[in-house]
Amino acid sequence: MKNKKSIVLTSVLSILAAGCGGGGGADSGPSAMTAASVTLGSPSDRATAPARWANVKFGGGGYVPGLIFHPTSPDVLYARTDIGGAYRWDAAGSTWTAITDGFGIEEGFFEGAESMALDPNNDKLVYMSTGLYIGEGSKARLYISGDRGDNWTHVELPFPVGANNQARAVGERMMVDPNNPAILFYATRTAGLWKSSNRGQTWQQVQSLSTAKMTQAEIDAVPQRGVIGLEQVIFDTSTKGSGSATQTIYTAVSSDYGSVAGLSQTLYKSTNGGISWTGIAVPSAVAGYNIPHMVRAKDGMMYVAFTQGGGPGAGGAAALYKFDGNTWTLLKSYAPTEWTSFGMGGLSVSGTGASTRIALGVTNTWGNWEGQPVVQLSDDAGATWREIASTTPHTPSDVDFSGWVDDVEIDPNNPERILHVFGGGVWETRNASAAKPSWNLAVTGLEETATNALMAPPAGAPYSLLISAGDIGMRVQTELLKRPTRNPGVFGNGLSADMAWSNPSYIAAIGTASWDHPSRVGMYSTDAGLTWTQFAANHPDQQARQSGASNLAVVKPGQIVWAPSHAAPAYTTDGGASWTYTNLPALAPMGIDRSYRVVADRKNPNKVYAYNSGGAWWTQWSETAHFYTSTDGGKTFTESATFAAKSWTSDFYASSVAVNPNAEGDIWVADGQSILHSVDSGATWTRLTAAAPIWGTDSSYSPQVYGATSIALGKAPAGASYSASVYVVGTIGGVWGLHRSDDGGTSWRRVNDDKHQFGGMSTLAADQTVPGRVFLSGAGRGVLFTY
């Protein structure tokens, strides 16, 4: 198994792509700041001023498993995502503010939040559990902030969490005791119930409930490692701040952990602060079901949703009950039919007694048709129901809102305001009582897309950037602060895109097949992305080898080199009507995703370069890195005789290659460890000494932080001694970050700062029009740029 200290983006792309639930976006303003604060155009070089950052606009894009309101302070609201960190609501600007951008490269695994908890007595205190996956060697952390996420400290957790595992909307798993806020309980996936008595600093298993900790074999036995475990903690109290620990506590138990721990009931109750527990029999009709959410009304009534599936988008059967401590009363149920299998996801209540308002998210429902349940609302404690989301006005109208409705929240200070999540972000209504409530996509500032590739066009192109990303496919960004509308519309994931430098209106793109377009993995456009045509034929190996490593290079309109994973690249000279293998050897499988990186020379279209990073030094199948040059447009390649001795065997995702568009044969390679430069089309190489890895105690095995993983060249400032600005993600002068050189690598300065690390930075692209503008992908944070 790969060493967890090896902080590279080797598997991050696959992690991220798996996490985003495909979604939409909207022209609801620029991300991360208001439109007024972002002035684009022709900024100066800003050579000495700190870089300012904004998101390239998509709007949402990924799954938000949970929304967390403070129970008493108005507009104190957080969104936790599965791969892209956490956000805080800014009511004044009606926007989300990212609060985990300060996480560095060693914290990329902690950019997914499994649960967040707020102190009812202190609206500035936030707890967030992080860690993408459960499993062998996985670590988890608890991040703690006393200023609503502006700054964080953390402690290591003694149990795993799975922010991007199945059932990630279940919960909230972590809760603060409202009467004694030094006490927190955590319902874990694999290790039972845990308690902290010192504000999260240390944790102990609540062994009065169970001492079981699932083994790796037991975790692996659950399909897709979708262990749900304990599902939630509820303190049964209407008071806060008394100083005495709340005595009555509920927790829910999924059958996957229950069967290992010998817990036969779905629901357990303690009346002595967790010293002992008693199982509560649930209705027989829902025995063995999961409890994705249960909530307590102010009058003490418990409302409990039962669903067979685990989610996201869990299928039914499903049922909603209320429970007064003794009696269960059925309020609503769904049974599977030939065409439907509705589950219950989100659940929220407001008010008390017979007039209790209940908002219920009906999940695994897709589309928008009369009678479809998406968000069901009751204003009489569940006696009657009406639909408030389907067939109602939505702005924008072209973004889905159904499917993964796994969390619904009624604003505790405004019951007319209801929010629900879906696979692409958050929807909100502020007139829930209307016959047809109006909904707005509440994703301004929330950018959660997993980027596979970026490509910036030459100056004068009718667009600013090509983005290939997980779940949202490939997009042509015509304006940085507006949602892109140009795209092939057929890819499940966008993998790579390139344009002809001589005619940037010609764009070619590849991606993974979607369920309704199984053969459309390659497309091209001749009008800058307004319309698209499928390649008449595909690379012979691409259909079976659709992975994040696949990439292509456009030599000129109609002439393309395509490199799928583990395959020999092939070329076309007839716009994709036919493909012929190059003479490059196919790459041997190593149990990892890899491919050749192919890049076209922008000054001489007859030259194409191919880079094989060698695989990964930590596998027995690794090989020497290789660099190849073609002088016939990518048909045949010749290997550089000097490259291997200068380079380092590296993982595909920890390496990259870029060419200077202003000089023929001027090539840069980041090989994970160092930066290499050639000015003669790869015949000879210079290895720069600027970048160097940071080695840990296991230096014979892998670096703790890599030296140089991504590289791009953009427009140089006036008076620069080199024709392009060089940008590198890596470690220079012992400091990891994004670095820039305007003198061909002689001197460097860091572009980002510690508040802008984005959990890691992978793909780079640099603007060819505006000096100092560089694009990068954060860990699930979409695409960011300097301005």
Side-chain angles (χ1 to χ4, degrees):
M1 180 177 177
K2 184 179 176 183
N3 189 330
K4 293 295 179 185
K5 290 182 70 180
S6 177
I7 309 298
V8 151
L9 303 177
T10 58
S11 59
V12 165
L13 290 179
S14 58
I15 287 172
L16 300 186
C20 287
D27 274 345
S28 47
S31 305
M33 53 200 70
T34 64
S37 70
V38 181
T39 303
L40 303 183
S42 298
S44 65
D45 176 42
R46 301 178 58 83
T48 59
R52 297 180 297 173
W53 294 90
N55 268 104
V56 175
K57 177 66 180 178
F58 181 78
Y63 185 40
V64 178
L67 298 168
I68 303 92
F69 271 105
H70 192 274
T72 57
S73 295
D75 286 317
V76 178
L77 167 66
Y78 298 87
R80 60 177 177 88
T81 75
D82 48 9
I83 63 166
Y87 294 80
R88 181 183 65 229
W89 179 251
D90 176 7
S94 296
T95 186
W96 295 96
T97 299
I99 56 176
T100 53
D101 280 355
F103 286 19
I105 181 64
E106 295 184 83
E107 296 173 288
F109 189 76
F110 307 110
E111 275 287 321
E114 183 180 71
S115 189
M116 295 184 76
L118 309 183
D119 184 344
N121 303 277
N122 179 356
D123 66 7
K124 296 186 184 303
L125 189 57
V126 186
Y127 298 91
M128 177 175 64
S129 65
T130 64
L132 290 177
Y133 297 106
I134 60 174
E136 185 178 5
S138 295
K139 294 182 178 180
R141 287 179 176 177
L142 178 69
Y143 283 84
I144 305 168
S145 174
D147 53 14
R148 296 183 182 173
D150 287 340
N151 297 279
W152 298 92
T153 60
H154 74 265
V155 297
E156 304 295 324
L157 287 173
F159 47 81
V161 306
N164 199 30
N165 279 112
Q166 296 294 98
R168 48 196 180 272
V170 163
E172 292 295 312
R173 294 175 176 272
M174 178 169 48
M175 287 286 171
V176 178
D177 187 334
N179 289 308
N180 183 350
I183 295 174
L184 288 82
F185 279 85
Y186 200 108
T188 76
R189 290 176 180 266
T190 65
L193 186 65
W194 288 68
K195 177 183 178 180
S196 173
S197 299
N198 54 5
R199 301 183 188 274
Q201 295 302 305
T202 60
W203 294 81
Q204 298 78 39
Q205 188 184 44
V206 181
Q207 297 187 346
S208 55
L209 179 64
S210 173
T211 62
K213 298 178 182 178
M214 294 179 71
T215 66
Q216 189 61 45
E218 289 166 337
I219 293 171
D220 292 342
V222 179
Q224 298 180 320
R225 290 187 178 179
V227 177
I228 300 174
L230 270 66
E231 297 166 305
Q232 195 167 353
V233 175
I234 291 289
F235 292 97
D236 190 4
T237 180
S238 58
T239 62
K240 68 175 185 175
S242 69
S244 300
T246 301
Q247 296 299 293
T248 302
I249 311 169
Y250 290 92
T251 190
V253 182
S254 181
S255 60
D256 50 26
Y257 178 80
S259 62
V260 171
L263 298 174
S264 58
Q265 299 292 344
T266 306
L267 194 63
Y268 284 81
K269 178 181 180 180
S270 175
T271 57
N272 51 18
I275 296 174
S276 62
W277 297 82
T278 302
I280 298 174
V282 302
S284 58
V286 292
Y289 284 25
N290 296 309
I291 298 179
H293 286 92
M294 59 180 177
V295 294
R296 181 189 186 277
K298 291 182 179 179
D299 58 8
M301 184 68 71
M302 300 289 292
Y303 293 83
V304 186
F306 294 87
T307 296
Q308 277 193 313
L320 175 67
Y321 286 83
K322 65 180 180 181
F323 180 60
D324 62 6
N326 296 295
T327 303
W328 292 92
T329 302
L330 178 65
L331 302 179
K332 195 168 188 61
S333 64
Y334 292 102
T337 71
E338 181 181 2
W339 304 108
T340 66
S341 182
F342 299 155
M344 291 183 181
L347 177 64
S348 185
V349 300
S350 176
T352 61
S355 60
T356 299
R357 166 165 281 188
I358 309 170
L360 175 66
V362 185
T363 193
N364 200 38
T365 60
W366 303 92
N368 185 19
W369 38 271
E370 192 67 41
Q372 177 199 28
V374 175
V375 178
Q376 292 276 294
L377 190 70
S378 173
D379 284 319
D380 51 17
T384 61
W385 297 85
R386 64 189 180 90
E387 172 59 32
I388 63 167
S390 64
T391 67
T392 62
H394 281 73
T395 303
S397 60
D398 61 342
V399 177
D400 189 20
F401 56 86
S402 60
W404 292 2
V405 191
D406 295 321
D407 191 26
V408 173
E409 297 295 335
I410 303 172
D411 186 335
N413 291 282
N414 177 12
E416 286 300 297
R417 182 189 184 196
I418 298 177
L419 300 92
H420 77 79
V421 306
F422 75 116
V426 181
W427 283 96
E428 176 189 64
T429 182
R430 291 180 180 258
N431 61 340
S433 295
K436 290 285 187 178
S438 55
W439 293 83
N440 291 283
L441 190 61
V443 295
T444 301
L446 200 163
E447 297 286 342
E448 192 201 0
T449 57
T451 307
N452 287 322
L454 298 173
M455 186 62 69
Y463 53 90
S464 300
L465 192 65
L466 303 182
I467 301 174
S468 301
D471 293 320
I472 67 169
M474 180 268 168
R475 304 279 166 162
V476 180
Q477 199 88 31
T478 55
E479 297 184 59
L480 297 180
L481 300 180
K482 289 187 177 181
R483 178 193 173 206
T485 58
R486 302 182 187 184
N487 65 90
V490 296
F491 298 148
N493 300 310
L495 300 179
S496 179
D498 195 15
M499 75 291 293
W501 211 252
S502 60
N503 178 11
S505 290
Y506 184 92
I507 304 170
I510 56 174
T512 62
S514 59
W515 66 271
D516 53 342
H517 297 102
S519 66
R520 295 187 184 179
V521 295
M523 305 283 288
Y524 70 93
S525 171
T526 60
D527 54 12
L530 289 171
T531 61
W532 293 85
T533 303
Q534 180 182 354
F535 291 151
N538 291 322
H539 186 293
D541 301 311
Q542 179 61 20
Q543 200 70 23
R545 298 180 178 180
Q546 302 175 40
S547 78
S550 299
N551 64 106
L552 57 70
V554 174
V555 179
K556 57 186 178 182
Q559 187 166 342
I560 305 161
V561 181
W562 186 348
S565 65
H566 307 297
Y571 66 89
T572 181
T573 58
D574 52 18
S578 62
W579 296 86
T580 304
Y581 284 113
T582 68
N583 65 329
L584 292 170
L587 299 181
M590 294 183 177
I592 59 171
D593 190 20
R594 68 178 187 135
S595 179
Y596 288 93
R597 289 192 182 273
V598 289
V599 181
D601 192 297
R602 301 309 195 181
K603 296 295 284 187
N604 184 346
N606 290 319
K607 289 185 178 179
V608 181
Y609 309 108
Y611 169 50
N612 169 14
S613 64
W617 69 100
W618 39 265
T619 74
Q620 60 179 313
W621 304 282
S622 65
E623 60 180 280
T624 302
H626 303 273
F627 194 91
Y628 303 86
T629 299
S630 170
T631 58
D632 57 7
K635 300 174 184 178
T636 60
F637 288 81
T638 301
E639 182 172 3
S640 169
T642 62
F643 182 79
K646 296 283 188 179
S647 188
W648 187 53
T649 298
S650 183
D651 189 293
F652 176 88
Y653 292 112
S655 58
S656 67
V657 57
V659 297
N660 184 349
N662 306 302
E664 180 180 341
D666 192 344
I667 313 162
W668 295 77
V669 171
D671 70 357
Q673 180 166 312
S674 303
I675 304 167
L676 290 88
H677 186 203
S678 173
V679 294
D680 52 14
S681 303
T684 60
W685 293 87
T686 300
R687 184 172 181 168
L688 281 64
T689 59
I694 298 173
W695 296 92
T697 56
D698 55 352
S699 60
S700 63
Y701 187 72
S702 65
Q704 184 174 344
V705 180
Y706 283 81
T709 56
S710 190
I711 195 163
L713 278 71
K715 184 174 178 61
S721 60
Y722 181 64
S723 60
S725 291
V726 185
Y727 299 89
V728 170
V729 173
T731 306
I732 294 180
V735 179
W736 176 87
L738 174 66
H739 302 270
R740 170 181 169 183
S741 174
D742 295 328
D743 55 14
T746 301
S747 62
W748 298 84
R749 64 180 179 87
R750 190 184 182 199
V751 176
N752 71 307
D753 55 32
D754 288 348
K755 285 289 188 180
H756 300 90
Q757 302 188 85
F758 314 116
M761 308 173 192
S762 55
T763 304
L764 289 182
D767 197 289
Q768 303 300 320
T769 303
V770 180
R773 180 173 294 165
V774 62
F775 306 94
L776 63 83
S777 58
R781 275 283 287 118
V783 179
L784 300 114
F785 70 99
T786 54
Y787 73 99

